[in-house]
Amino acid sequence: MSFPHPALHASHSGIWIATAEGTRAVSRGEAIGIASETPVIMLNAALTGQRLGYADLSGLDLLELYAFLYPARFAVPTPKGLARAIGLAMPVQEDAVAAFLRDAAETLLAVPDGDWPEREGAWTAAQSLTRLRWPWAPLIAPRLAKPRVNERWLFSKLPEWEEQPPRPAPRTVPMEPLEAEARLATLTGHGAEERPGQRAYAAAASAAFAPRVVREAPNMVLAEAGTGIGKTLGYLAPASLWAERAGGPVWISTFTKALQRQLSTETQRLFPDAAIRRERVVTRKGRENYLCLLNLEDALQGGFAGRAAILAQLVARWAAYSADGDMVGGDLPGWLPTLFRRNGPAALTDRRGECVYAGCPHYRKCFIEHAARASAQADIVIANHALVMVNAARGRELATRPTRYVFDEGHHLFDAADSMFATALTGAETIELRRWVLGPEAGSRGRRRGLAARLSDVASYDEGGNRAIADAVTAAQGLASEGWLGRVAEGQPFGPIETLLAAVRGLTFARAEQPGDAGYGLETELAEPSPELIEAAAPAAHALDALLRPLVALGRRLEAVLTEAPDWLDGPARARVEGAIASLAWRAETVAAWLSLLARVGGPADPDFVDWLAVDRVEGREYDIGLHRHWLDPTRPFAEIVLKPAHGALVTSATLTGGGDWAVAEARTGAPHLARGPSHFAASSPFDYPDRSEVLIVTDVKRGDIPALANAYARLIMAARGGTLGLFTAIRRLRGVHGRIADRLAREGLALHAQHVDPIDTGTLVDIFRDDPAASLLGTDALRDGVDVPGESLRLVVMEGVPWPKPTVLHAARKLAGGGSVYDDRIVRARLAQAFGRLIRRADDRGAFVLLSAAMPSRLLDAFPPGVAIRRVTLDEAVAHVTARLSSDAPIGHGAHEPA
């Protein structure tokens, strides 16, 4: 081999260096020394550096080279995944991986020699990356021939959206259940397996698409369909039929990105032709998910430095080939941003709401505007719960607001509404608003544009607009500013808001901190406030009122501009003003909510809300302080803002009743707040759970004993030979277990991955887990629901204990209102059902569910499917059981069952 660079591979089972002379095992110190002296080839430098204990490790990361050569193409970021993506054989033994990485580097560097679809733009990008001293540039740039004609700049090659005439209101059309069943038969195809449950589901779902008969009373259908019913096609059948006949869009809302991707795949049955499907099916997400072209342009022209500037160049390569510009869950590999500083990716999106709309030179090519306009003409819009609520509450698209919704993963509606309609008057939130108004201040970097810069040419149309902007800028200087957290902690707050936060911090520590506190967040009810807090509330309210007034005045002035329609107000200018009005209304609404919360300090409590004070901490480090307000029942605003204007809504899930009955399902979806009650449908899973699964409750692992917990996880994972999803209720315990067992499992040839440990995003961790039947994955709540890993890759689920809800102020209030311990029991049943649901995803799956808790109450065992064997066993017995059941083809179950 003539390739000069060594390759480094580090795992929990060892560290190896490969050169032209061969491969050898090395120590951690030697590996760090080699990597610091010469560029070494690695796969995921961030992960390799973590395993070496050397966070600043850098070199020739194959993932970066892959992202340059194959933008918008995903590869699982493991040796196996990379081998499959580039057509190489994957070595079986781990000590051969380092040599494989050298082969992979040569294969990737040879890509420009062949037929390469992503050639355009590569030469220009390579010149920029050379100037930025990208480690791969000296190796890849000489292999790229200079084009005879200058390559098009990214911003000139992106397609422009075209203005479309307003879409007529959907027609009123009948919807018969038999018609939905017929459409379902077309989608499943001739000769498909007969699925009575799916057919009945489609017929029941069709009621959500019938004409509405009472104003503000949508046709609401609650449908609980067990895993394997096929509910996706079950609701796509009536939804597509209605959209086709009525000429209107159906918004299908999910909670997880995984289901969004699955839905996009399923719609291929509706529209097999890819070009037609792109027009008829659109995926929508919040603005903060999409690449902002103006932010990218600024980053490419010097706004980013160092590694962040390299990320900007790779993102620009991706943007030229991306289907939709979605940086979170789209075709940008989820692992790419994690290779760089975390603030780099965030700065490339519009997460602060600073968009200037038609004032942006890239407005006609904007990914966000593309998605918004495409969704206005689509039949099926795939969205998420948060976006649906944001659009309904403060969206600009009032004329195209959907009338029909499908809420899949409907058991998450309560939590999504709880987050959406909450109020948080905290330091982090106020400094964010300050930046939105003022823009960059002394010493700050970045593209931020303040309110004056965004609106000066529009608002200068009259004196009133200018005065409102000036007043807002003056008032915003009273908000928390850079360094506020340190000043508050030191007892030296500056300004009325920081003084308020200091009083909040003092009272929270006085009431909530306990001896031996481990450094977690603190909170206490906003009741009987201290004199210091009462005294600080009035000046803070005055400061916020001084900001609210000019924001409202500016919004009214801009509305007057639209009404008066001056000569300069052409189409783009109108769009810009409308966008500014919507953005101002959102901020004014936020400040008004803060004022309402401050009015509670020293005043009477509002029974509709739960208010508290909090100091947010991670491992003892404070990162935010403030006052919080949540609706006691967040489905009230959800019903008012989303459901009542709609004509029909199907809410569906495999666990919709949430460990209770239909009354629980109704209460958690907003149905009681509607004038017309919902219809109900239930179909149990067709899977043979008693034959394919069992539940083992381990009785001899002491709660809170990390070494014992780690030993249990290690033995169970080894018994199953991997394929294990480990679920935790606390990050600290997850990290403690991972640190004790990763090396032990690696010696057995079993890979272990973990949330909050590996520097990899959750979606990619699941992809890695799915790709390797011998791998295991540890995680928290995010993995308890929405993870779809069928087959051998997931055959054992282990929970560290009973998933009781965290005893927060908010939970205590809802528990009191919801029936006390019965409320807690419903939550636990729902969580157990969701966790168990990860195990059997198709008819031929098999596996075991292990709960490491002697204190599991028998009354909660009905969370599991009827007939499933439930045994209380020792750890030794559980290990023997898992070994026998999961290492053979013998069916699981049909054993002793503890009655619920």
Side-chain angles (χ1 to χ4, degrees):
M1 254 187 214
S2 59
F3 195 64
H5 297 283
L8 168 64
H9 173 61
S11 75
H12 289 289
S13 58
I15 305 167
W16 295 269
I17 291 282
T19 63
E21 286 71 41
T23 301
R24 62 188 180 89
V26 297
S27 67
R28 181 179 283 107
E30 185 179 359
I32 293 173
I34 293 171
S36 63
E37 292 172 0
T38 182
V40 296
I41 300 165
M42 294 171 287
L43 186 66
N44 196 332
L47 182 62
T48 304
Q50 183 191 78
R51 288 176 175 171
L52 292 177
Y54 184 59
D56 295 329
L57 181 70
S58 63
L60 298 164
D61 194 331
L62 287 168
L63 292 180
E64 292 181 29
L65 180 60
Y66 182 90
F68 174 83
L69 295 168
Y70 296 122
R73 287 202 218 178
F74 181 74
V76 177
T78 61
K80 177 183 175 182
L82 182 63
R84 184 170 54 247
I86 64 177
L88 286 181
M90 170 60 198
V92 177
Q93 299 298 324
E94 192 163 22
D95 58 5
V97 170
F100 160 78
L101 297 182
R102 282 170 51 84
D103 294 341
E106 290 204 281
T107 299
L108 286 169
L109 289 171
V111 165
D113 299 337
D115 183 15
W116 181 28
E118 294 93 345
R119 185 180 301 276
E120 184 178 14
W123 184 86
T124 303
Q127 306 314 301
S128 298
L129 286 164
T130 299
R131 291 190 291 273
L132 294 170
R133 299 185 178 182
W134 185 42
W136 283 109
L139 298 172
I140 191 65
R143 295 173 180 251
L144 301 172
K146 183 177 181 179
R148 289 190 294 272
V149 180
N150 286 341
E151 293 178 317
R152 290 180 295 166
W153 177 229
L154 166 68
F155 302 101
S156 65
K157 71 181 288 188
L158 289 173
E160 293 189 352
W161 49 262
E162 296 181 1
E163 202 68 65
Q164 299 283 344
R167 191 173 186 178
R171 295 183 294 276
T172 300
V173 296
M175 178 64 66
E176 298 296 331
L178 288 176
E179 294 173 318
E181 292 184 38
R183 171 58 62 93
L184 176 63
T186 302
L187 294 179
T188 54
H190 179 72
E193 175 190 359
E194 183 72 14
R195 301 170 82 174
Q198 186 183 46
R199 196 171 65 246
Y201 179 94
S206 66
F209 300 94
R212 186 175 69 173
V213 295
V214 178
R215 186 173 179 271
E216 295 192 342
N219 299 315
M220 191 172 185
V221 178
L222 303 182
E224 184 169 75
T227 307
I229 286 293
K231 65 178 184 298
T232 303
L233 286 181
Y235 59 65
L236 279 176
S240 62
L241 191 61
W242 181 86
E244 180 184 298
R245 289 181 176 178
V250 176
W251 278 49
I252 300 177
S253 179
T254 75
F255 189 71
T256 61
K257 295 181 179 69
L259 184 54
Q260 280 194 328
R261 288 196 295 267
Q262 180 185 324
L263 271 166
S264 296
T265 302
E266 293 281 13
T267 55
Q268 294 177 15
R269 296 174 185 255
L270 281 175
F271 306 105
D273 183 273
I276 295 175
R277 188 167 63 254
R278 278 194 297 272
E279 291 183 4
R280 308 318 310 163
V281 181
V282 174
T283 298
R284 281 286 302 275
K285 294 183 180 178
R287 302 183 64 86
E288 68 281 358
N289 290 273
Y290 294 94
L291 173 68
C292 170
L293 294 174
L294 188 57
N295 286 5
L296 177 64
E297 183 180 38
D298 284 346
L300 295 175
Q301 294 180 347
F304 280 14
R307 290 278 293 160
I310 293 171
L311 171 64
Q313 291 291 337
L314 295 179
V315 169
R317 279 281 289 156
W318 160 78
Y321 295 92
S322 173
D324 56 9
D326 177 8
M327 291 188 69
V328 185
D331 51 16
L332 180 75
W335 41 258
L336 180 60
T338 64
L339 303 178
F340 299 84
R341 292 188 310 170
R342 292 194 176 274
N343 60 345
L348 292 173
T349 62
D350 178 31
R351 66 186 180 90
R352 292 195 180 98
E354 294 178 337
C355 182
V356 294
Y357 299 96
C360 174
H362 311 301
Y363 181 62
R364 300 279 303 192
K365 298 176 180 183
C366 174
F367 289 118
I368 304 167
E369 296 296 328
H370 263 292
R373 280 158 176 77
S375 66
Q377 304 297 324
D379 287 351
I380 303 293
V381 179
I382 302 170
N384 57 60
H385 298 344
L387 177 64
V388 166
M389 295 177 198
V390 168
N391 256 26
R394 49 177 182 252
R396 294 189 296 136
E397 305 151 35
L398 296 179
T400 57
R401 179 172 289 184
T403 63
R404 296 301 192 286
Y405 293 103
V406 175
F407 292 101
D408 202 341
E409 300 180 306
H411 59 283
H412 282 298
L413 276 176
F414 187 95
D415 293 332
D418 191 30
S419 177
M420 167 63 199
F421 299 111
T423 298
L425 172 50
T426 71
E429 292 292 324
T430 57
I431 199 170
E432 199 67 30
L433 180 58
R434 179 191 180 100
R435 290 166 177 165
W436 182 83
V437 175
L438 298 181
E441 298 184 69
S444 64
R445 298 182 56 185
R447 186 205 63 82
R448 292 199 305 271
R449 293 178 177 86
L451 193 60
R454 294 197 300 274
L455 288 178
S456 58
D457 57 335
V458 177
S460 61
Y461 175 69
D462 72 333
E463 184 182 347
N466 263 327
R467 190 184 314 114
I469 290 177
D471 289 347
V473 168
T474 300
Q477 291 171 354
L479 298 173
S481 59
E482 295 291 345
W484 70 272
L485 200 56
R487 290 191 295 274
V488 167
E490 293 165 5
Q492 298 179 337
F494 178 78
I497 300 300
E498 291 186 16
T499 300
L500 173 74
L501 298 175
V504 168
R505 182 179 185 271
L507 183 57
T508 305
F509 269 98
R511 289 183 178 173
E513 191 172 38
Q514 302 296 324
D517 191 282
Y520 293 111
L522 303 173
E523 62 177 43
T524 185
E525 292 180 68
L526 179 52
E528 300 298 327
S530 64
E532 291 81 6
L533 182 57
I534 294 173
E535 187 177 334
H542 180 75
L544 292 177
D545 185 65
L547 176 59
L548 177 62
R549 290 175 184 276
L551 292 181
V552 171
L554 181 57
R556 288 175 179 163
R557 187 57 230 149
L558 292 176
E559 288 171 354
V561 168
L562 289 182
T563 303
E564 295 163 9
D567 294 340
W568 55 265
L569 193 70
D570 56 8
R574 175 175 287 273
R576 184 179 178 189
V577 173
E578 289 173 345
I581 291 172
S583 188
L584 282 164
W586 169 23
R587 304 300 182 180
E589 178 186 302
T590 298
V591 177
W594 290 349
L595 282 167
S596 177
L597 179 52
L598 281 180
R600 162 74 176 87
V601 179
D606 188 327
D608 290 335
F609 297 101
V610 182
D611 304 325
W612 71 95
L613 315 175
V615 175
D616 296 320
R617 302 190 296 185
V618 172
E619 297 176 350
R621 182 182 62 83
E622 295 177 31
Y623 65 90
D624 205 4
I625 301 166
L627 301 91
H628 297 262
R629 162 169 283 186
H630 282 234
W631 283 82
L632 184 63
D633 177 8
T635 67
R636 278 184 58 186
F638 169 69
E640 196 69 33
I641 294 170
V642 179
L643 293 180
K644 286 186 178 180
H647 288 222
L650 168 67
V651 183
T652 186
S653 165
T655 56
L656 194 60
T657 52
D661 52 19
W662 284 116
V664 172
E666 291 186 8
R668 294 186 68 81
T669 56
H673 307 299
L674 301 176
R676 186 172 180 228
S679 60
H680 302 153
F681 172 83
S684 57
S685 172
F687 296 156
D688 187 355
Y689 288 110
D691 185 61
R692 309 300 300 178
S693 62
E694 67 179 338
V695 174
L696 302 174
I697 301 172
V698 176
T699 59
D700 58 349
V701 175
K702 186 179 178 182
R703 179 177 175 83
D705 187 336
I706 300 295
L709 195 62
N711 178 59
Y713 269 94
R715 292 184 62 192
L716 289 165
I717 291 171
M718 286 190 289
R721 303 306 300 166
T724 301
L725 177 63
L727 299 173
F728 290 78
T729 56
I731 296 174
R732 181 179 61 85
R733 288 194 291 275
L734 183 156
R735 288 173 172 164
V737 167
H738 178 275
R740 285 170 168 81
I741 70 174
D743 292 354
R744 178 177 172 184
L745 293 175
R747 290 192 292 271
E748 298 287 328
L750 303 173
L752 182 66
H753 309 283
Q755 259 188 317
H756 309 292
V757 175
D758 295 331
I760 302 174
D761 65 290
T762 299
T764 301
L765 282 174
V766 174
D767 289 329
I768 294 171
F769 176 52
R770 184 185 292 112
D771 197 50
D772 182 3
S776 295
L777 175 60
L778 306 182
T780 52
D781 289 356
L783 297 182
R784 191 184 61 230
D785 194 8
V787 173
D788 188 13
V789 182
E792 280 296 296
S793 288
L794 204 175
R795 50 194 181 271
L796 177 65
V797 174
V798 183
M799 289 192 81
E800 62 155 326
V802 181
W804 296 110
K806 188 178 178 182
T808 63
V809 170
L810 180 60
H811 170 73
R814 287 178 176 160
K815 178 178 178 179
L816 184 64
S821 62
V822 175
Y823 180 80
D824 278 356
D825 286 356
R826 285 199 299 266
I827 292 175
V828 173
R829 285 192 185 95
R831 291 176 177 178
L832 289 171
Q834 290 155 14
F836 182 88
R838 303 309 99 214
L839 194 61
I840 308 296
R841 307 302 297 171
R842 62 190 188 196
D844 59 346
D845 280 356
R846 63 195 182 98
F849 183 94
V850 178
L851 184 65
L852 301 173
S853 174
M856 171 65 180
S858 295
R859 69 178 184 278
L860 302 179
L861 296 179
D862 57 357
F864 303 109
V868 171
I870 301 175
R871 299 177 175 86
R872 295 185 186 266
V873 295
T874 64
L875 178 60
D876 288 344
E877 291 170 333
V879 168
H881 217 76
V882 169
T883 302
R885 299 297 189 179
L886 298 188
S887 63
S888 70
D889 294 327
I892 292 174
H894 295 307
H897 176 215
E898 176 179 323

